[in-house]
Amino acid sequence: GAGVSQSPSNKVTEKGKDVELRCDPISGHTALYWYRQSLGQGLEFLIYFQGNSAPDKSGLPSDRFSAERTGGSVSTLTIQRTQQEDSAVYLCASSQTSELNTGELFFGEGSRLTVL
Amino acid sequence: AQSVTQLGSHVSVSEGALVLLRCNYSSSVPPYLFWYVQYPNQGLQLLLKYTSAATLVKGINGFEAEFKKSETSFHLTKPSAHMSDAAEYFCAVTKTSYDKVIFGPGTSLSVIP
């Protein structure tokens, strides 16, 4: 597709289970971001991938959270031993980086996670 | 380090009134600046962006923003609010496309009939 694709769009899980959220960025976009948005809250930065550089993991809230980006394209955000406070919408965004680009982000529709 | 502040986490305006959402940034070099909008239960979309071509930037849905270097501001305005403008608005900054984009905390806009 032409846009950023995220799956699943909705995920309900039980406390203590692991979940994986997937992001398929726009083809050719070298930068990829994960954000968390709790109900009525702003964007909480989680992790930033830029090309082949080491990812910026400074926003990951605990060691239960991890993310990888395979082949510079698809990214997976994994939450281990989910807790109720992990319930939120997880947003992915990508952008193209070059001298001619401005860093504009393109967002997916998000994955809504509910932990019971 | 870059940062973005948005004065007022919640702003209410009457339908037809002026919309003014404030954004101030800190950056060591002339930045790229953005306003994103998030309508209820939707993802974020770009409203407008400043890339140094012109200080007054026009975006979608009648919004515009003016880059003022001396004030390090990039306030968003619209002359006449519509009910459909009710949304969350985020200001963002980056130095170049190779640098991480930094978002402000967001401003929730309510439009009163």
Side-chain angles (χ1 to χ4, degrees):
Chain A
V4 177
S5 178
Q6 292 189 245
S7 62
S9 55
N10 277 286
K11 175 72 175 179
V12 180
T13 190
E14 294 180 347
K15 178 181 173 180
K17 296 288 179 84
D18 297 351
V19 297
E20 287 189 349
L21 307 177
R22 176 189 167 103
C23 174
D24 201 340
I26 294 172
S27 178
H29 280 194
T30 57
L32 187 147
Y33 298 73
W34 282 99
Y35 296 92
R36 180 168 70 175
Q37 190 172 35
S38 301
L39 187 63
Q41 301 298 309
L43 295 173
E44 178 185 3
F45 165 75
L46 297 178
I47 190 167
Y48 165 55
F49 296 90
Q50 174 56 278
N52 296 321
S53 301
D56 178 346
K57 303 179 182 180
S58 60
L60 295 178
S62 76
D63 58 8
R64 296 187 297 105
F65 288 73
S66 62
E68 62 177 22
R69 189 177 185 192
T70 54
S73 181
V74 172
S75 177
T76 302
L77 177 68
T78 301
I79 309 173
Q80 296 179 310
R81 306 181 301 282
T82 52
Q83 304 294 313
Q84 289 184 331
E85 59 262 31
D86 298 335
S87 296
V89 175
Y90 290 81
L91 292 168
C92 177
S94 69
S95 72
Q96 192 169 33
T97 53
S98 74
E99 296 297 324
L100 300 178
N101 290 102
T102 59
E104 173 186 347
L105 297 187
F106 295 81
F107 283 82
E109 292 295 313
S111 292
R112 182 177 298 277
L113 175 65
T114 303
V115 182
L116 301 177
Chain B
Q2 297 175 94
S3 66
V4 179
T5 56
Q6 292 183 239
L7 186 62
S9 58
H10 298 277
V11 171
S12 291
V13 299
S14 298
E15 191 174 14
L18 171 72
V19 176
L20 171 61
L21 303 181
R22 299 179 185 274
C23 171
N24 288 88
Y25 68 92
S26 68
S27 177
S28 57
V29 298
Y32 295 137
L33 291 156
F34 310 87
W35 276 99
Y36 288 85
V37 60
Q38 186 179 32
Y39 297 107
N41 299 313
Q42 295 186 25
L44 278 79
Q45 64 182 91
L46 183 70
L47 200 54
L48 49 78
K49 63 181 178 182
Y50 165 76
T51 60
S52 78
T55 57
L56 183 62
V57 181
K58 295 186 184 299
I60 61 173
N61 301 335
F63 283 92
E64 61 182 36
E66 186 173 8
F67 171 68
K68 292 187 176 180
K69 185 178 179 181
S70 61
E71 298 178 5
T72 60
S73 69
F74 190 57
H75 301 332
L76 182 70
T77 61
K78 182 175 180 178
S80 176
H82 292 182
M83 296 298 295
S84 60
D85 294 328
E88 190 81 18
Y89 292 80
F90 295 93
C91 183
V93 64
T94 188
K95 287 191 291 185
T96 74
S97 69
Y98 294 94
D99 294 287
K100 187 169 77 175
V101 175
I102 306 299
F103 279 85
T107 296
S108 178
L109 176 67
S110 299
V111 181
I112 305 166

PDB file of all heavy atoms in Angstrom, chain A residues 102-116:
ATOM      1  N   THR A 102      12.396  17.007   4.473  1.00  0.00           N
ATOM      2  CA  THR A 102      12.257  17.885   5.631  1.00  0.00           C
ATOM      3  C   THR A 102      11.927  17.149   6.919  1.00  0.00           C
ATOM      4  O   THR A 102      11.725  17.770   7.945  1.00  0.00           O
ATOM      5  CB  THR A 102      11.139  18.909   5.376  1.00  0.00           C
ATOM      6  OG1 THR A 102       9.913  18.201   5.137  1.00  0.00           O
ATOM      7  CG2 THR A 102      11.465  19.775   4.177  1.00  0.00           C
ATOM      8  N   GLY A 103      11.853  15.831   6.857  1.00  0.00           N
ATOM      9  CA  GLY A 103      11.568  15.088   8.075  1.00  0.00           C
ATOM     10  C   GLY A 103      10.100  14.930   8.376  1.00  0.00           C
ATOM     11  O   GLY A 103       9.718  14.534   9.473  1.00  0.00           O
ATOM     12  N   GLU A 104       9.246  15.227   7.406  1.00  0.00           N
ATOM     13  CA  GLU A 104       7.805  15.059   7.618  1.00  0.00           C
ATOM     14  C   GLU A 104       7.493  13.593   7.917  1.00  0.00           C
ATOM     15  O   GLU A 104       7.953  12.693   7.226  1.00  0.00           O
ATOM     16  CB  GLU A 104       7.050  15.493   6.364  1.00  0.00           C
ATOM     17  CG  GLU A 104       5.565  15.221   6.402  1.00  0.00           C
ATOM     18  CD  GLU A 104       4.900  15.535   5.076  1.00  0.00           C
ATOM     19  OE1 GLU A 104       5.534  16.195   4.223  1.00  0.00           O
ATOM     20  OE2 GLU A 104       3.739  15.127   4.874  1.00  0.00           O
ATOM     21  N   LEU A 105       6.715  13.373   8.944  1.00  0.00           N
ATOM     22  CA  LEU A 105       6.341  12.023   9.348  1.00  0.00           C
ATOM     23  C   LEU A 105       4.996  11.626   8.759  1.00  0.00           C
ATOM     24  O   LEU A 105       4.079  12.438   8.670  1.00  0.00           O
ATOM     25  CB  LEU A 105       6.261  11.922  10.870  1.00  0.00           C
ATOM     26  CG  LEU A 105       7.543  12.153  11.661  1.00  0.00           C
ATOM     27  CD1 LEU A 105       7.314  11.839  13.132  1.00  0.00           C
ATOM     28  CD2 LEU A 105       8.666  11.314  11.108  1.00  0.00           C
ATOM     29  N   PHE A 106       4.907  10.364   8.386  1.00  0.00           N
ATOM     30  CA  PHE A 106       3.659   9.776   7.922  1.00  0.00           C
ATOM     31  C   PHE A 106       3.263   8.715   8.947  1.00  0.00           C
ATOM     32  O   PHE A 106       4.041   7.801   9.228  1.00  0.00           O
ATOM     33  CB  PHE A 106       3.835   9.160   6.535  1.00  0.00           C
ATOM     34  CG  PHE A 106       4.153  10.177   5.469  1.00  0.00           C
ATOM     35  CD1 PHE A 106       5.441  10.654   5.293  1.00  0.00           C
ATOM     36  CD2 PHE A 106       3.142  10.674   4.645  1.00  0.00           C
ATOM     37  CE1 PHE A 106       5.731  11.606   4.322  1.00  0.00           C
ATOM     38  CE2 PHE A 106       3.427  11.616   3.666  1.00  0.00           C
ATOM     39  CZ  PHE A 106       4.727  12.087   3.514  1.00  0.00           C
ATOM     40  N   PHE A 107       2.060   8.867   9.473  1.00  0.00           N
ATOM     41  CA  PHE A 107       1.614   8.008  10.555  1.00  0.00           C
ATOM     42  C   PHE A 107       0.689   6.900  10.073  1.00  0.00           C
ATOM     43  O   PHE A 107      -0.101   7.084   9.144  1.00  0.00           O
ATOM     44  CB  PHE A 107       0.869   8.824  11.614  1.00  0.00           C
ATOM     45  CG  PHE A 107       1.755   9.614  12.512  1.00  0.00           C
ATOM     46  CD1 PHE A 107       2.243  10.850  12.112  1.00  0.00           C
ATOM     47  CD2 PHE A 107       2.127   9.128  13.756  1.00  0.00           C
ATOM     48  CE1 PHE A 107       3.077  11.588  12.949  1.00  0.00           C
ATOM     49  CE2 PHE A 107       2.951   9.856  14.594  1.00  0.00           C
ATOM     50  CZ  PHE A 107       3.431  11.084  14.187  1.00  0.00           C
ATOM     51  N   GLY A 108       0.778   5.761  10.755  1.00  0.00           N
ATOM     52  CA  GLY A 108      -0.215   4.724  10.576  1.00  0.00           C
ATOM     53  C   GLY A 108      -1.442   5.014  11.424  1.00  0.00           C
ATOM     54  O   GLY A 108      -1.471   5.987  12.179  1.00  0.00           O
ATOM     55  N   GLU A 109      -2.435   4.153  11.293  1.00  0.00           N
ATOM     56  CA  GLU A 109      -3.675   4.348  12.030  1.00  0.00           C
ATOM     57  C   GLU A 109      -3.584   3.872  13.480  1.00  0.00           C
ATOM     58  O   GLU A 109      -4.470   4.138  14.282  1.00  0.00           O
ATOM     59  CB  GLU A 109      -4.821   3.617  11.327  1.00  0.00           C
ATOM     60  CG  GLU A 109      -5.200   4.222   9.986  1.00  0.00           C
ATOM     61  CD  GLU A 109      -5.754   5.629  10.138  1.00  0.00           C
ATOM     62  OE1 GLU A 109      -6.620   5.851  11.009  1.00  0.00           O
ATOM     63  OE2 GLU A 109      -5.300   6.532   9.391  1.00  0.00           O
ATOM     64  N   GLY A 110      -2.521   3.158  13.782  1.00  0.00           N
ATOM     65  CA  GLY A 110      -2.313   2.736  15.154  1.00  0.00           C
ATOM     66  C   GLY A 110      -2.820   1.339  15.466  1.00  0.00           C
ATOM     67  O   GLY A 110      -3.678   0.797  14.758  1.00  0.00           O
ATOM     68  N   SER A 111      -2.268   0.776  16.523  1.00  0.00           N
ATOM     69  CA  SER A 111      -2.732  -0.503  17.072  1.00  0.00           C
ATOM     70  C   SER A 111      -3.235  -0.248  18.481  1.00  0.00           C
ATOM     71  O   SER A 111      -2.479   0.222  19.336  1.00  0.00           O
ATOM     72  CB  SER A 111      -1.587  -1.527  17.125  1.00  0.00           C
ATOM     73  OG  SER A 111      -1.170  -1.918  15.845  1.00  0.00           O
ATOM     74  N   ARG A 112      -4.519  -0.530  18.685  1.00  0.00           N
ATOM     75  CA  ARG A 112      -5.107  -0.302  20.017  1.00  0.00           C
ATOM     76  C   ARG A 112      -4.930  -1.559  20.841  1.00  0.00           C
ATOM     77  O   ARG A 112      -5.454  -2.626  20.494  1.00  0.00           O
ATOM     78  CB  ARG A 112      -6.584   0.046  19.893  1.00  0.00           C
ATOM     79  CG  ARG A 112      -7.254   0.336  21.242  1.00  0.00           C
ATOM     80  CD  ARG A 112      -8.709   0.750  21.054  1.00  0.00           C
ATOM     81  NE  ARG A 112      -8.813   1.974  20.290  1.00  0.00           N
ATOM     82  CZ  ARG A 112      -8.693   3.184  20.797  1.00  0.00           C
ATOM     83  NH1 ARG A 112      -8.454   3.341  22.088  1.00  0.00           N
ATOM     84  NH2 ARG A 112      -8.815   4.251  20.023  1.00  0.00           N
ATOM     85  N   LEU A 113      -4.195  -1.448  21.934  1.00  0.00           N
ATOM     86  CA  LEU A 113      -3.932  -2.591  22.818  1.00  0.00           C
ATOM     87  C   LEU A 113      -4.736  -2.437  24.104  1.00  0.00           C
ATOM     88  O   LEU A 113      -4.683  -1.390  24.754  1.00  0.00           O
ATOM     89  CB  LEU A 113      -2.442  -2.667  23.162  1.00  0.00           C
ATOM     90  CG  LEU A 113      -2.039  -3.732  24.178  1.00  0.00           C
ATOM     91  CD1 LEU A 113      -2.288  -5.132  23.614  1.00  0.00           C
ATOM     92  CD2 LEU A 113      -0.581  -3.583  24.586  1.00  0.00           C
ATOM     93  N   THR A 114      -5.468  -3.478  24.433  1.00  0.00           N
ATOM     94  CA  THR A 114      -6.211  -3.527  25.688  1.00  0.00           C
ATOM     95  C   THR A 114      -5.731  -4.728  26.479  1.00  0.00           C
ATOM     96  O   THR A 114      -5.770  -5.862  25.980  1.00  0.00           O
ATOM     97  CB  THR A 114      -7.724  -3.647  25.439  1.00  0.00           C
ATOM     98  OG1 THR A 114      -8.164  -2.543  24.632  1.00  0.00           O
ATOM     99  CG2 THR A 114      -8.490  -3.639  26.756  1.00  0.00           C
ATOM    100  N   VAL A 115      -5.263  -4.463  27.686  1.00  0.00           N
ATOM    101  CA  VAL A 115      -4.787  -5.529  28.566  1.00  0.00           C
ATOM    102  C   VAL A 115      -5.798  -5.718  29.689  1.00  0.00           C
ATOM    103  O   VAL A 115      -6.051  -4.795  30.468  1.00  0.00           O
ATOM    104  CB  VAL A 115      -3.396  -5.203  29.138  1.00  0.00           C
ATOM    105  CG1 VAL A 115      -2.909  -6.356  30.006  1.00  0.00           C
ATOM    106  CG2 VAL A 115      -2.403  -4.924  28.019  1.00  0.00           C
ATOM    107  N   LEU A 116      -6.371  -6.910  29.742  1.00  0.00           N
ATOM    108  CA  LEU A 116      -7.413  -7.171  30.745  1.00  0.00           C
ATOM    109  C   LEU A 116      -6.823  -7.673  32.063  1.00  0.00           C
ATOM    110  O   LEU A 116      -5.739  -8.260  32.073  1.00  0.00           O
ATOM    111  CB  LEU A 116      -8.408  -8.201  30.192  1.00  0.00           C
ATOM    112  CG  LEU A 116      -9.117  -7.804  28.895  1.00  0.00           C
ATOM    113  CD1 LEU A 116     -10.009  -8.931  28.422  1.00  0.00           C
ATOM    114  CD2 LEU A 116      -9.912  -6.519  29.096  1.00  0.00           C
TER     115      LEU A 116
END
